[in-house]
Amino acid sequence: MFKRFRDRRIDKATRLKYQETFLAKSDFILPIFIVGGKNRIEAISSMKNINRMSIDMALVYLKNLISRGLKSILIFGVPDKKGIEQAYSNDGVVQLAVKEIKSKLPDLTVITDVCLCSYTHDGHCHIGDNDATCEILAKIALSHAENGADIVAPSDMMDGRVYYIKKALNDNGYKTPILSYAAKFVSNFYGPFREAANSTPAYGDRKTYQMNYANPIEAMEEIEADIEEGASMIMIKPALSYLDIIRMAKDRFKIPTYAYNVSGEYAALNYLIDNELAKEEIIYEILVSIKRAGADKIVSYFTPYILEKLDEYQSL
Ligand code: PBG
């Protein structure tokens, strides 16, 4: 006697009956790159279908996606001029974008990336001293909250940044939740993003602050510390080479767990698809794998694709 598994696979209807992991449109968060000015749409050569947009253009783009089921975005500001004051100024691109988007599209959850790498002249996420950087990060997060951000998401990997941000928010009466990029690894998968955000380090690398990708136990310590400091949600980044970390975090901590399907993962998959080395379904496959690993929410440049195609994959 032996067990017949193939009975579960005879056709799509049967396969769907046995399917254990499903994606929902509301699982997805779209990263968006905002520039100043008006009427600007700039292609990013390494990231197909992803553009830097001025706020007016972003509003049109997002409105359309909302009608297809978009629920949440993650904003990155790409200032025309470098300088850290821009990062916490009320006239900064992120602040203006949040204000405008929340007033015109109030149902959209707006998460802001809190970091300095697009603002520093050297492209690093800090200004030299860890704690001095945390003070600036706290000012940035506070200014995002003041302009209406629903969630602030520090991605810098300084020690204690969640503590500083939480304190600044509390002291000023804001309850804005913190989504910390708690386990962010020093990854070779961020290349296309750095073109998009104009944030490539002018010298060296990020190995003195982003995590060594060989360290799962330390990743749990990083996450635990951020939760203790006041994070309401945690993020693992990148996603695909880090599914084990997502699973470990999900099993260990009772907190919403996000995963960031990063720019290099996006570009690599598009390469396979565009060169007919893989079917487009590879996108669904990897996103299911991230959810299966335990992610509650997935930040992904494939969000528009999923909004369009999810029903085809998951229904008859
Ligand atoms: C900046 C930041 C990076 C990403 C998100 N926030 C790049 C980096 O750390 O160099 C990468 C996102 C992606 O690759 O899609 N701190």
Side-chain angles (χ1 to χ4, degrees):
M1 262 303 277
F2 52 86
K3 210 163 169 177
R4 294 205 181 267
F5 292 98
R6 293 186 55 201
D7 292 350
R8 307 175 189 181
R9 300 167 198 158
I10 46 176
D11 56 21
K12 191 176 180 191
T14 320
R15 287 192 292 274
L16 280 171
K17 276 191 205 106
Y18 282 96
Q19 182 156 331
E20 299 172 37
T21 309
F22 287 91
L23 301 176
K25 292 179 188 175
S26 57
D27 295 337
F28 288 87
I29 298 164
L30 175 68
I32 176 161
F33 299 98
I34 302 284
V35 290
K38 273 199 163 43
N39 209 18
R40 283 172 74 183
I41 297 191
E42 302 169 357
I44 299 159
S45 64
S46 56
M47 296 176 77
K48 191 182 168 185
N49 297 334
I50 305 291
N51 300 302
R52 284 184 290 256
M53 277 178 271
S54 52
I55 298 170
D56 52 335
M57 300 314 272
L59 283 168
V60 178
Y61 177 67
L62 292 172
K63 202 168 171 196
N64 181 341
L65 290 176
I66 289 169
S67 72
R68 297 160 192 242
L70 180 72
K71 297 283 180 227
S72 184
I73 58 169
L74 172 61
I75 294 185
F76 292 94
V78 189
D80 285 316
K81 269 199 300 191
K82 299 282 179 189
I84 58 171
E85 315 71 39
Q86 279 295 308
Y88 49 80
S89 153
N90 274 329
D91 304 326
V93 279
V94 176
Q95 288 80 357
L96 294 173
V98 174
K99 208 173 192 165
E100 191 74 6
I101 292 170
K102 283 307 296 183
S103 82
K104 301 265 166 59
L105 307 168
D107 295 336
L108 189 66
T109 298
V110 175
I111 309 173
T112 55
D113 184 84
V114 176
C115 196
L116 277 170
C117 60
S118 297
Y119 298 90
T120 51
H121 292 279
D122 63 13
H124 279 287
C125 307
H126 60 75
I127 53 161
D129 181 68
N130 182 89
D131 300 9
T133 303
C134 287
E135 286 183 22
I136 297 171
L137 293 167
K139 280 170 85 168
I140 300 173
L142 179 60
S143 78
H144 291 178
E146 285 168 347
N147 281 284
D150 295 301
I151 300 174
V152 290
S155 66
D156 51 280
M157 289 304 277
M158 295 300 111
D159 293 328
R161 77 270 171 78
V162 175
Y163 170 84
Y164 275 83
I165 291 171
K166 188 80 185 169
K167 185 168 184 326
L169 293 172
N170 275 350
D171 288 353
N172 289 278
Y174 287 93
K175 293 197 163 40
T176 317
I178 301 170
L179 161 61
S180 90
Y181 289 64
K184 175 169 175 180
F185 295 89
V186 66
S187 175
N188 295 291
F189 283 98
Y190 303 147
F193 173 93
R194 291 178 188 171
E195 183 203 335
N198 188 13
S199 65
T200 308
Y203 57 84
D205 51 41
R206 303 207 202 284
K207 286 188 175 162
T208 64
Y209 43 107
Q210 296 180 350
M211 280 199 63
N212 181 342
Y213 45 74
N215 295 356
I217 295 170
E218 192 183 293
M220 297 306 110
E221 289 182 81
E222 283 271 9
I223 294 169
E224 192 169 18
D226 282 5
I227 296 171
E228 275 170 19
E229 289 173 29
S232 299
M233 310 94 164
I234 52 149
M235 180 128 74
I236 316 293
K237 178 181 174 188
L240 285 185
S241 296
Y242 299 87
L243 297 176
D244 56 329
I245 309 288
I246 298 172
R247 172 48 59 194
M248 273 177 100
K250 177 70 175 183
D251 287 344
R252 199 166 300 214
F253 304 105
K254 299 287 163 266
I255 189 164
T257 304
Y258 290 46
Y260 198 138
N261 172 217
V262 300
S263 60
E265 298 168 351
Y266 178 76
L269 256 61
N270 278 327
Y271 177 87
L272 292 177
I273 296 164
D274 292 345
N275 289 283
E276 293 178 17
L277 297 165
K279 284 192 204 158
E280 225 175 55
E281 191 189 339
I282 195 172
I283 299 168
Y284 182 66
E285 177 183 348
I286 65 105
L287 294 172
V288 165
S289 79
I290 296 169
K291 179 115 187 237
R292 195 188 62 223
D296 299 301
K297 299 270 181 199
I298 303 171
V299 179
S300 179
Y301 304 97
F302 288 120
T303 299
Y305 174 84
I306 278 299
L307 296 178
E308 194 187 320
K309 294 287 173 72
L310 189 58
D311 295 342
E312 279 178 37
Y313 288 114
Q314 296 189 165
S315 59
L316 292 174

